[in-house]
């Protein structure tokens, strides 16, 4: 299995951090240390898939480091592990979007807990579990396959060729972060599917965006009247779709 390098940030390379690095090395987990310095973090950013901030008492990110980390983690789909006293980790966590925080661990650190955390992260990363998941529902398999091809590198994508198949799939203990739902489908159309989703406690909070091939004002108003999280015209291009999805998930 390909390993993801771990960047451990701290005010200084303390004895605890040196022990932690050795224990990671002993179980073949690649990790390296950088100080709480923006240039150092920036210079080593491309080497890592997961960041760890080991906090001694009152260690905090400066505003420029926090802004850099948040922006880069959002741009590159990376996350952070916070280690410290609960008061300290809670304060830092409050300044970082929650979806960017992979785990919070308390000091004194139990090394095996951290190693387990990293092993789980590596397994999830290898199986794409860390990616946001999207379900595409469309009766046109060619269009659906095209959109899946556009999204598969950034998201975990599932497909359903009808609204009823989507409802059945979601009812089998599957869940997603977003549904892209064709507005016009035979038998059970998009509005009917949305109504069924909203009527079920297990699916009512899943965000839904409509896919529509009609851009006249009357059609667009009919789509918006259903209060989806948004809609895309089927003429949208790959880059625009990816950008809009990124903005949605960052919101």
């Amino acid at each position: 299995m390909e390993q993801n390098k771990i960047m451990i940030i701290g005010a200084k390379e303390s004895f605890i951090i040196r022990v932690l690095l050795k224990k990671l090395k002993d179980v073949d987990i690649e990790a390296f240390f950088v100080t709480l310095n923006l240039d150092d973090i920036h210079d080593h950013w491309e080497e890592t898939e997961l960041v760890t901030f080991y906090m001694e008492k009152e260690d905090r990110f400066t505003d420029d480091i926090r802004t850099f980390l948040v922006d880069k983690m959002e741009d590159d789909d990376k996350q952070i592990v916070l280690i410290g006293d609960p008061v300290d980790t809670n304060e830092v966590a409050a300044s970082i979007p929650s979806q960017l925080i992979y785990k919070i661990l308390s000091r004194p650190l139990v090394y095996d807990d951290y190693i387990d955390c990293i092993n789980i992260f590596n397994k999830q990363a290898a199986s794409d579990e860390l990616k946001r998941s999207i379900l595409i529902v469309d009766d046109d398999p060619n269009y659906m396959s095209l959109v899946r091809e556009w999204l598969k590198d950034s998201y975990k994508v599932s497909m359903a060729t009808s609204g009823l198949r989507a409802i059945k799939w979601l009812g089998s203990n599957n869940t997603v972060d977003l549904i892209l739902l064709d507005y016009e489908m035979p038998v059970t159309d998009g509005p009917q599917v949305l109504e069924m989703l909203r009527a079920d406690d297990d699916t009512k909070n899943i965000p839904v965006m409509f896919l529509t091939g009609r851009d006249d004002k009357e059609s667009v108003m009919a789509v918006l009247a259903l209060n989806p999280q948004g809609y895309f015209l089927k003429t949208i291009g790959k880059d625009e779709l990816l950008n809009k999805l990124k903005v949605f998930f960052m919101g």
Side-chain angles (χ1 to χ4, degrees):
M1 180 187 301
E2 181 181 351
Q3 292 290 323
N4 300 289
K5 288 188 177 181
I6 311 301
M7 175 191 288
I8 299 178
I9 302 172
K12 61 181 180 179
E13 191 173 357
S14 64
F15 173 77
I16 298 295
I17 289 178
R18 288 196 296 272
V19 172
L20 180 57
L21 289 168
K22 183 180 184 305
K23 287 185 175 292
L24 291 171
K25 184 178 180 180
D26 288 344
V27 292
D28 296 322
I29 294 175
E30 294 189 68
F32 58 93
F33 172 78
V34 297
T35 61
L36 266 172
N37 177 281
L38 182 58
D39 290 336
D40 287 345
I41 296 171
H42 177 272
D43 290 345
H44 293 88
W45 183 256
E46 298 303 324
E47 301 174 43
T48 187
E49 290 300 322
L50 181 67
V51 180
T52 294
F53 181 25
Y54 186 89
M55 285 175 269
E56 301 288 354
K57 193 66 178 175
E58 298 182 355
D59 285 345
R60 298 291 187 275
F61 290 134
T62 58
D63 288 341
D64 57 344
I65 290 177
R66 183 192 61 79
T67 299
F68 173 84
L69 285 172
V70 169
D71 288 347
K72 293 296 287 182
M73 286 192 293
E74 287 179 337
D75 288 345
D76 300 338
D77 292 323
K78 296 180 182 179
Q79 292 179 295
I80 191 168
V81 176
L82 302 176
I83 302 173
D85 293 334
V87 172
D88 298 329
T89 55
N90 287 342
E91 182 178 334
V92 173
S95 68
I96 299 174
S98 59
Q99 70 270 19
L100 301 180
I101 300 173
Y102 182 72
K103 191 82 171 177
I104 298 177
L105 298 172
S106 296
R107 290 178 49 226
L109 178 64
V110 178
Y111 296 114
D112 286 346
D113 288 349
Y114 180 72
I115 290 171
D116 288 344
C117 169
I118 301 305
N119 283 328
I120 292 170
F121 171 83
N122 283 331
K123 289 178 182 178
Q124 291 177 325
S127 63
D128 286 343
E129 289 182 44
L130 296 174
K131 290 182 177 179
R132 298 276 192 173
S133 56
I134 294 177
L135 173 63
I136 309 171
V137 186
D138 198 303
D139 65 305
D140 182 345
N142 292 326
Y143 179 76
M144 189 162 52
S145 296
L146 173 64
V147 175
R148 179 186 180 279
E149 190 67 23
W150 289 353
L151 301 183
K152 68 179 184 179
D153 290 339
S154 302
Y155 301 97
K156 185 177 179 181
V157 183
S158 302
M159 300 186 295
T161 54
S162 73
L164 294 181
R165 285 180 183 272
I167 295 294
K168 182 178 180 180
W169 185 82
L170 290 166
S172 300
N173 295 319
N174 295 302
T175 188
V176 291
D177 297 303
L178 175 66
I179 298 173
L180 297 180
L181 178 60
D182 186 12
Y183 186 78
E184 296 178 294
M185 291 185 292
V187 184
T188 308
D189 62 18
Q192 291 173 308
V193 174
L194 180 61
E195 184 178 357
M196 287 188 282
L197 292 170
R198 295 293 180 258
D200 189 319
D201 285 342
D202 292 332
T203 58
K204 66 181 182 181
N205 294 319
I206 299 176
V208 173
M209 292 186 174
F210 278 118
L211 298 166
T212 177
R214 301 174 63 177
D215 62 356
D216 60 279
K217 182 178 180 181
E218 183 178 345
S219 298
V220 170
M221 293 302 292
V223 170
L224 294 177
L226 299 170
N227 295 317
Q229 273 65 41
Y231 75 96
F232 298 118
L233 296 176
K234 288 192 172 183
T235 53
I236 194 171
K238 175 182 177 180
D239 291 343
E240 185 180 0
L241 177 60
L242 286 170
N243 287 336
K244 288 192 173 184
L245 288 175
K246 182 178 180 179
V247 169
F248 169 75
F249 283 121
M250 288 170 56

